[in-house]
Amino acid sequence: MSRALPGDDLLPRPDLVATRAISIDAPAEAVWPWVAQMGQGRGGLYSYDWLENLVGCQMVSATRVVQEWQHPSVGDDFRLHPDVAPKVAMVEPPHALVVRGAVSATGQDGSGDPSMPYDFTWAFVLPPQSGGPTRLVVRERYLYLSPWASLLVEAVSMVSAVMTERMLRGIRDRVEGTGPRPRAVESSG
C-alpha cells in the first residue's frame, strides 16, 4: 500500500517503510477498542508474549476490552517494554493511532535525543469505508539518524515483520471472536 496514511507526515522522508494489513470481518468501531488499549502494562501487543517476555517486555496480551484503557491521548506513553515508551503522536478514533519515538542501540527510550540511531513512527490505521470487512493497516517508518542505523533497523524490521503478522492475526481473532478466551476466575470458597 503506497497511499498516504495518518502519521506519514511526521517522518516525511523515511529511509525504510514497512506496511502490513489484514481484513477483519467487523466494523472499525469493533476493531478500534483493541487498538486503543495496546501497549505494555495495558492490552499488550497481541503477538508472541512469550517471545517479547524473553527480552524483559513483561507483556500480557488482553483477551477482553478494558474500558479504562480506551482513551489514549497525544503525549501518552506507548510502552513496548517497562523502560521503552515512544509517545502517542496522533489519535483519531476510530481510525488512527500513531506513535513516535527513538530507541537506542541498547533498547532504551531516546525520544527527543538527537544522538539516537533512528527515529520512527508506528501507525495503526482503520481507513474509512462503506460496508464490508475493515482493513487494519500497520505502517512503520524509520528515519536513520546515524550512519550505522540501517544495520540496527534492518535487523529490527525482520523481527517486526514476524511480530506484526502475529499481532494482526491476534487482533482479528479477538474481534471476530475466534481468539483467546478470557480466563475463568477461580473462587477459593
Side-chain angles (χ1 to χ4, degrees), residues 96-121:
L97 174 69
V98 181
V99 300
R100 182 180 185 179
V103 179
S104 74
T106 61
Q108 298 303 303
D109 183 7
S111 300
D113 182 346
S115 69
M116 291 295 106
Y118 65 91
D119 193 359
F120 85 104
T121 59

Side-chain angles (χ1 to χ4, degrees), residues 23-138:
S23 292
I24 301 175
D25 192 19
E29 292 77 15
V31 179
W32 176 256
W34 296 97
V35 172
Q37 70 183 23
M38 290 178 66
Q40 185 271 339
R42 295 172 43 95
L45 296 178
Y46 317 117
S47 187
Y48 298 106
D49 290 357
W50 65 271
L51 189 55
E52 292 161 337
N53 293 334
L54 284 177
V55 294
C57 290
Q58 300 174 19
M59 198 68 68
V60 178
S61 291
T63 56
R64 65 184 176 85
V65 171
V66 176
Q67 193 57 40
E68 65 192 63
W69 296 333
Q70 291 305 301
H71 306 286
S73 297
V74 171
D76 286 354
D77 286 346
F78 186 97
R79 294 208 171 277
L80 303 175
H81 179 281
D83 299 325
V84 180
K87 300 292 184 193
V88 173
M90 178 185 296
V91 182
E92 296 175 359
H95 297 293
L97 174 69
V98 181
V99 300
R100 182 180 185 179
V103 179
S104 74
T106 61
Q108 298 303 303
D109 183 7
S111 300
D113 182 346
S115 69
M116 291 295 106
Y118 65 91
D119 193 359
F120 85 104
T121 59
W122 199 14
F124 302 88
V125 180
L126 302 162
Q129 61 186 45
S130 58
T134 296
R135 291 292 283 173
L136 171 56
V137 182
V138 176

